Amino acid sequence: MYKLSVDKQVELTSLDAEWIELLKKAKECGLTIDEVRNFLENPNSFNRIKNA
């Protein structure tokens, strides 16, 4: 089994918290899981326009 150093564990925990916050914001904006996934796979093709 692969073990991470303490520094890497802290880095991953911090990164996970950032991803969670970004996903929460996307949900608050009304983005679907598929829209987020599509954007992450190909950000240049994202063309969803939401009227405010």
Side-chain angles (χ1 to χ4, degrees), residues 9-23:
Q9 289 175 0
V10 170
E11 182 180 319
L12 288 175
T13 301
S14 176
L15 183 62
D16 288 346
E18 290 177 25
W19 275 104
I20 290 168
E21 187 62 29
L22 285 170
L23 291 173

Side-chain angles (χ1 to χ4, degrees), residues 41-52:
E41 289 174 354
N42 191 0
N44 293 328
S45 70
F46 192 73
N47 61 6
R48 182 174 190 259
I49 299 174
K50 186 166 183 150
N51 294 328

